[in-house]
Amino acid sequence: MILGIWDGHDAGAAIIDGKEIKVAVNEERLTRRKLDVGFPKESIKCCLEYLGLKPSDVTDVAACTSDFSKTITRVFPSMKDKYYLLRRRKVYPKFAQNQKNFKYKLTEIGPSYLTRKVSKRFLRKGLNRLGFRNYKMKIIDHHMAHAAGAGFCSGFDKALVLTVDGVGDGLSGSVNIFDKGRIDRISSISAKHSPGIFFEHVTNLMGMRELEDEGKVMALSDFAYKIPDNKNPMLNFFEVKGMNIKAKYSSVRMWKELRKILWKSPPEQFAWMAQETMKKKLVELFRNSLDETGLRDVAWSGGVASNIKANMEIRHLPEVKKWFVFPHMGDGGLALGAALQMNFEKNGTWEYKFDNVYFGPEYSKEEMENELKDNPKIRYEYDKNIEKRVADLISGGKIVFLYQGRMEFGPRALGNRSILASASSVESKNDLNLKIKKRVWYQPFCPSILEEDCKNIFRDCDCIERFMTMGFMVREEFREKMTSVTNVDGSARPQMVTTENDRYRKILESVKKKTELGAVLNTSLNLHGYPIVNTPKDVLDVMIRTRNPYMAMGNYFVELVE
Ligand SMILES: [Fe+2]
């Protein structure tokens, strides 16, 4: 039994036993603070409680990252909040004009014997406070934990594993060979040359939140006109040398250079140049790594792996045979990655069945009913055929909340904490945006589709993608029928639904009977700016606050009383 913990941006915990990922959850879902950075005490408690364990039952703990800045925040936890608030531009850096410089210099310092020792001491303090005793602890390297998530969950025996992110343990990326659990690092990208920080800068300069809104930059880039490479000044910012990336400027200088470009460019053009740069440099890095290693199956992780447009490009390289993106690619997935790595080092375990990410807590029928009863704002009834009822409402243009089973691990709702609407109705999409999600106009929604329909719908359907991590091109004839979930460039980021979620599948099958297309719009069930709901109380609160009239909570059909 191994407990993995991560106590930074999007903190969390996970427990693995043998070949099974038993439970995994992020702190934000429990504290209701988005991307919570605190010590993951609620996540640890939640994991133990779910399995009916006591802290003393845990014999091994895998933590992650021991670079200088992470260690400092462990010694002075109040700095952590401040650091991330600053990093995500939620507070103005009053106390130091030169804060940006300071910040990047600090985060670029890698781990050492001393930082590892201090980190371990303070992590133990946090665990001991929760009642942990007599356990072995190991701190797994940041990029090793990212690589482990991708490698162990890919289902591949041998693969090329890449990680690219902002920064962690002095690095912003790594190239590795995964061979039956053994991960050998063959190249490291220094934190000083970080493609992730480059994209954070772009996000920041566009007035958006770093580490949160990078997807918006990518979405906006679709609306720019294309320019030739020699007119894109950002392409010179990085040089890919073999399996490494070198930046032309320091992090701070890069920010200043980007600001100059922004002055002369409309925002969508600025976003496009950045996206194009990211895509081209990653393609080069992957291509060189594929050539160098001769490997054809690829897995990848790290925050930059959330860039689905770059993913689509890389997946289409003729050199790539099989392709896997770890669904919780950002730092929120580190607790699980660290646990997977420790499980291999200790027990040699490397084969996992990874066909779903329903790793979070779930609530019983009684707990649901306790929340529903005596609430004057709703009425509810038990419905054996709730799937058909939900499908009828969606097909009729209504928005329906779907709450059931174990919460998803990772940023995507995959049918257990989801808001569903018609894939073909622009009105439903606009309604959803106006009343509930409050997204910017250019940010697209994604579909969930019956797996067997995907080959028909997509031009380039070459794999089963259950986790919404890849873009596929929608065939012309389906774009009209899927107008609310197809991007302006004709791509969509689907969840392909196989047999892992019985109720969700039945809903899609019922939708198909009515509309001939087993597809719905699926977006995460949360209030704008808040994490995805966890408990029945959370979801009822969102229903009442957004005044959305319909919800399926397990088999309970819940309606708002006018
Ligand atoms: Fe990371």
Side-chain angles (χ1 to χ4, degrees), residues 356-378:
N356 73 77
V357 285
Y358 304 120
F359 297 148
E362 75 177 313
Y363 297 87
S364 66
K365 194 170 154 247
E366 289 69 38
E367 284 169 302
M368 290 183 191
E369 197 170 3
N370 277 342
E371 207 53 54
L372 295 171
K373 70 180 181 201
D374 305 326
N375 189 328
K377 293 181 178 157
I378 50 141

Short mmCIF file of all heavy atoms in Angstrom, two decimals, residues 356-378:
data_model
loop_
_atom_site.label_atom_id
_atom_site.label_comp_id
_atom_site.label_asym_id
_atom_site.label_seq_id
_atom_site.Cartn_x
_atom_site.Cartn_y
_atom_site.Cartn_z
N ASN A 356 -10.17 4.03 -16.94
CA ASN A 356 -11.03 5.13 -16.47
C ASN A 356 -10.28 5.93 -15.41
O ASN A 356 -9.23 5.50 -14.94
CB ASN A 356 -12.35 4.58 -15.91
CG ASN A 356 -12.18 3.91 -14.56
OD1 ASN A 356 -12.04 4.56 -13.53
ND2 ASN A 356 -12.14 2.58 -14.56
N VAL A 357 -10.82 7.11 -15.09
CA VAL A 357 -10.21 7.93 -14.02
C VAL A 357 -11.24 8.23 -12.92
O VAL A 357 -11.18 9.27 -12.28
CB VAL A 357 -9.60 9.24 -14.56
CG1 VAL A 357 -8.31 8.99 -15.28
CG2 VAL A 357 -10.57 10.01 -15.43
N TYR A 358 -12.16 7.30 -12.73
CA TYR A 358 -13.14 7.49 -11.65
C TYR A 358 -12.49 7.03 -10.34
O TYR A 358 -12.81 5.96 -9.81
CB TYR A 358 -14.43 6.72 -11.95
CG TYR A 358 -15.04 7.09 -13.28
CD1 TYR A 358 -15.22 6.14 -14.30
CD2 TYR A 358 -15.42 8.41 -13.56
CE1 TYR A 358 -15.76 6.49 -15.52
CE2 TYR A 358 -15.96 8.76 -14.78
CZ TYR A 358 -16.12 7.80 -15.76
OH TYR A 358 -16.65 8.14 -16.98
N PHE A 359 -11.55 7.81 -9.85
CA PHE A 359 -10.76 7.44 -8.68
C PHE A 359 -11.18 8.20 -7.42
O PHE A 359 -10.59 8.02 -6.36
CB PHE A 359 -9.27 7.75 -8.93
CG PHE A 359 -8.66 6.98 -10.06
CD1 PHE A 359 -7.63 7.56 -10.83
CD2 PHE A 359 -9.06 5.69 -10.37
CE1 PHE A 359 -7.05 6.85 -11.88
CE2 PHE A 359 -8.49 4.99 -11.42
CZ PHE A 359 -7.49 5.57 -12.17
N GLY A 360 -12.13 9.11 -7.52
CA GLY A 360 -12.48 9.96 -6.38
C GLY A 360 -13.51 9.32 -5.47
O GLY A 360 -13.91 8.17 -5.68
N PRO A 361 -13.97 10.07 -4.46
CA PRO A 361 -14.99 9.53 -3.55
C PRO A 361 -16.35 9.43 -4.23
O PRO A 361 -16.59 10.06 -5.25
CB PRO A 361 -15.04 10.58 -2.43
CG PRO A 361 -14.48 11.82 -3.00
CD PRO A 361 -13.54 11.43 -4.09
N GLU A 362 -17.22 8.58 -3.64
CA GLU A 362 -18.60 8.55 -4.13
C GLU A 362 -19.55 8.56 -2.94
O GLU A 362 -19.15 8.30 -1.81
CB GLU A 362 -18.84 7.33 -5.03
CG GLU A 362 -18.97 6.00 -4.33
CD GLU A 362 -19.27 4.88 -5.33
OE1 GLU A 362 -20.16 5.05 -6.20
OE2 GLU A 362 -18.62 3.83 -5.22
N TYR A 363 -20.78 8.89 -3.22
CA TYR A 363 -21.76 9.06 -2.13
C TYR A 363 -22.94 8.12 -2.36
O TYR A 363 -23.40 7.93 -3.49
CB TYR A 363 -22.17 10.54 -2.04
CG TYR A 363 -20.95 11.37 -1.69
CD1 TYR A 363 -20.11 11.85 -2.70
CD2 TYR A 363 -20.57 11.56 -0.38
CE1 TYR A 363 -18.94 12.53 -2.39
CE2 TYR A 363 -19.41 12.24 -0.05
CZ TYR A 363 -18.59 12.72 -1.07
OH TYR A 363 -17.43 13.38 -0.76
N SER A 364 -23.41 7.54 -1.25
CA SER A 364 -24.44 6.49 -1.35
C SER A 364 -25.80 7.10 -1.67
O SER A 364 -26.01 8.31 -1.56
CB SER A 364 -24.52 5.73 -0.03
OG SER A 364 -24.98 6.62 0.97
N LYS A 365 -26.73 6.18 -2.01
CA LYS A 365 -28.12 6.57 -2.28
C LYS A 365 -28.70 7.32 -1.06
O LYS A 365 -29.40 8.31 -1.20
CB LYS A 365 -28.89 5.28 -2.54
CG LYS A 365 -30.22 5.43 -3.13
CD LYS A 365 -30.74 4.05 -3.56
CE LYS A 365 -32.24 4.08 -3.55
NZ LYS A 365 -32.88 3.26 -2.57
N GLU A 366 -28.37 6.79 0.13
CA GLU A 366 -28.88 7.40 1.37
C GLU A 366 -28.33 8.82 1.54
O GLU A 366 -29.05 9.74 1.91
CB GLU A 366 -28.50 6.56 2.60
CG GLU A 366 -29.20 5.24 2.74
CD GLU A 366 -28.79 4.22 1.67
OE1 GLU A 366 -27.59 4.19 1.31
OE2 GLU A 366 -29.68 3.48 1.18
N GLU A 367 -27.04 8.95 1.28
CA GLU A 367 -26.43 10.29 1.42
C GLU A 367 -27.05 11.28 0.44
O GLU A 367 -27.28 12.44 0.75
CB GLU A 367 -24.91 10.20 1.20
CG GLU A 367 -24.19 9.61 2.40
CD GLU A 367 -22.73 9.27 2.12
OE1 GLU A 367 -22.46 8.47 1.20
OE2 GLU A 367 -21.86 9.79 2.84
N MET A 368 -27.34 10.80 -0.76
CA MET A 368 -27.99 11.67 -1.76
C MET A 368 -29.38 12.05 -1.27
O MET A 368 -29.77 13.22 -1.30
CB MET A 368 -28.10 10.94 -3.10
CG MET A 368 -26.78 10.73 -3.81
SD MET A 368 -27.07 9.95 -5.40
CE MET A 368 -25.43 9.51 -5.90
N GLU A 369 -30.11 11.05 -0.81
CA GLU A 369 -31.49 11.33 -0.40
C GLU A 369 -31.54 12.26 0.81
O GLU A 369 -32.39 13.14 0.89
CB GLU A 369 -32.27 10.04 -0.14
CG GLU A 369 -33.76 10.34 -0.14
CD GLU A 369 -34.64 9.10 -0.14
OE1 GLU A 369 -34.10 7.98 -0.07
OE2 GLU A 369 -35.87 9.28 -0.16
N ASN A 370 -30.61 12.08 1.72
CA ASN A 370 -30.54 12.97 2.89
C ASN A 370 -30.38 14.42 2.49
O ASN A 370 -30.90 15.32 3.12
CB ASN A 370 -29.36 12.58 3.78
CG ASN A 370 -29.73 11.45 4.71
OD1 ASN A 370 -30.92 11.19 4.93
ND2 ASN A 370 -28.72 10.75 5.21
N GLU A 371 -29.65 14.62 1.42
CA GLU A 371 -29.42 15.98 0.95
C GLU A 371 -30.65 16.54 0.23
O GLU A 371 -30.94 17.73 0.28
CB GLU A 371 -28.22 15.97 -0.01
CG GLU A 371 -27.46 17.25 -0.10
CD GLU A 371 -27.00 17.83 1.22
OE1 GLU A 371 -26.34 17.10 1.98
OE2 GLU A 371 -27.33 19.00 1.49
N LEU A 372 -31.37 15.64 -0.44
CA LEU A 372 -32.51 16.08 -1.25
C LEU A 372 -33.77 16.34 -0.42
O LEU A 372 -34.53 17.26 -0.69
CB LEU A 372 -32.83 15.03 -2.33
CG LEU A 372 -31.77 14.79 -3.40
CD1 LEU A 372 -32.12 13.57 -4.24
CD2 LEU A 372 -31.61 16.01 -4.29
N LYS A 373 -33.97 15.49 0.60
CA LYS A 373 -35.24 15.58 1.34
C LYS A 373 -35.31 16.88 2.15
O LYS A 373 -34.28 17.43 2.55
CB LYS A 373 -35.46 14.34 2.20
CG LYS A 373 -34.55 14.22 3.38
CD LYS A 373 -34.88 12.95 4.14
CE LYS A 373 -33.97 12.87 5.34
NZ LYS A 373 -33.82 11.55 5.86
N ASP A 374 -36.51 17.32 2.34
CA ASP A 374 -36.79 18.54 3.11
C ASP A 374 -36.20 19.81 2.50
O ASP A 374 -36.06 20.81 3.18
CB ASP A 374 -36.28 18.43 4.56
CG ASP A 374 -36.83 17.19 5.26
OD1 ASP A 374 -37.98 16.84 4.94
OD2 ASP A 374 -36.12 16.60 6.08
N ASN A 375 -35.80 19.75 1.24
CA ASN A 375 -35.33 20.99 0.61
C ASN A 375 -36.50 21.58 -0.18
O ASN A 375 -36.91 21.02 -1.20
CB ASN A 375 -34.14 20.69 -0.32
CG ASN A 375 -33.49 21.96 -0.81
OD1 ASN A 375 -34.15 22.98 -1.00
ND2 ASN A 375 -32.19 21.91 -1.01
N PRO A 376 -37.04 22.71 0.27
CA PRO A 376 -38.24 23.25 -0.39
C PRO A 376 -37.99 23.77 -1.80
O PRO A 376 -38.93 24.02 -2.55
CB PRO A 376 -38.64 24.40 0.55
CG PRO A 376 -37.38 24.79 1.25
CD PRO A 376 -36.54 23.56 1.35
N LYS A 377 -36.73 23.92 -2.17
CA LYS A 377 -36.45 24.50 -3.49
C LYS A 377 -36.46 23.47 -4.62
O LYS A 377 -36.38 23.82 -5.79
CB LYS A 377 -35.08 25.18 -3.46
CG LYS A 377 -35.09 26.40 -2.56
CD LYS A 377 -33.78 27.08 -2.56
CE LYS A 377 -33.88 28.31 -1.68
NZ LYS A 377 -32.61 28.75 -1.17
N ILE A 378 -36.54 22.20 -4.26
CA ILE A 378 -36.54 21.16 -5.31
C ILE A 378 -37.62 20.11 -5.04
O ILE A 378 -38.12 20.00 -3.92
CB ILE A 378 -35.18 20.42 -5.34
CG1 ILE A 378 -34.78 19.94 -3.93
CG2 ILE A 378 -34.07 21.29 -5.92
CD1 ILE A 378 -34.16 18.61 -3.90
#
